[in-house]
Amino acid sequence: MNTGASMNRGGSRQDYETPVDFMRAVEKRFGVMNVDLAARSDNAKAPVWIDEKKDSLLEDWGSLKGNLWLNPPFSNIAPWAQKCAIESANGARIFFLTPASVGSNWFSKFVHKKATVLFLNGRITFVGAKDPYPKDCILSCFSYGEPYYEVWKWK
């Protein structure tokens, strides 16, 4: 019998909040986040947010000002990655937190050579979770200079 994450794709909780300690590290390095692209009023990481009542993937992110934060549902990252690539080509500065799925199609098509990718050294414990996230994560920074890769010891 097959088990594991691939067999339960999308069946786990998808709305874990980014922890304060990680957001402090991000803002110390990159500046304040101005818009949260996938949030609720009780977990937004910026003073302006787009919640599920509006489909963020249909919004014009290029018209939004400042740093844009995105911690998408991890069950279906591809459309979010594609949107980041498209909107960053129009100047949107997006900070995209995801599992480090560097062998995935979404990574090769929409992140590789299009964003600065920070491999996070130090696991993240999302708000509401008792243990750190079990996989490595990356922070892809779109419209943040020339694309490159770096290991970031954020703690």
Side-chain angles (χ1 to χ4, degrees):
M1 174 180 216
N2 291 332
T3 61
S6 65
M7 300 309 294
N8 193 30
R9 184 161 281 130
S12 62
R13 184 173 165 190
Q14 295 296 308
D15 63 347
Y16 278 115
E17 178 180 346
T18 309
V20 172
D21 62 339
F22 182 69
M23 288 308 301
R24 281 192 189 128
V26 169
E27 291 189 337
K28 181 177 180 183
R29 181 165 179 168
F30 300 106
V32 69
M33 295 295 123
N34 303 96
V35 180
D36 191 327
L37 298 169
R40 296 185 317 261
S41 62
D42 65 324
N43 72 2
K45 299 301 169 197
V48 175
W49 66 90
I50 301 173
D51 63 21
E52 55 198 17
K53 292 175 192 161
K54 283 181 127 179
D55 186 344
S56 185
L57 293 170
L58 298 177
E59 294 292 313
D60 175 12
W61 297 355
S63 68
L64 302 172
K65 303 296 180 213
N67 290 331
L68 311 180
W69 176 253
L70 179 55
N71 172 5
F74 288 177
S75 64
N76 190 16
I77 296 172
W80 296 95
Q82 181 177 19
K83 180 76 169 176
C84 288
I86 291 167
E87 295 291 349
S88 66
N90 295 322
R93 191 172 189 198
I94 306 159
F95 297 87
F96 184 46
L97 176 64
T98 62
S101 302
V102 298
S104 67
N105 289 333
W106 65 260
F107 183 87
S108 65
K109 287 181 184 176
F110 307 121
V111 177
H112 179 61
K113 295 186 178 181
K114 292 177 178 58
T116 294
V117 179
L118 304 179
F119 296 95
L120 303 182
N121 180 281
R123 294 268 168 107
I124 296 174
T125 301
F126 290 96
V127 175
K130 63 179 180 138
D131 296 313
Y133 188 69
K135 297 178 183 178
D136 292 327
C137 288
I138 56 175
L139 183 65
S140 302
C141 311
F142 289 86
S143 296
Y144 187 75
E146 291 297 314
Y148 68 94
Y149 293 95
E150 175 186 328
V151 174
W152 182 33
K153 195 169 195 161
W154 65 271
K155 286 188 176 187

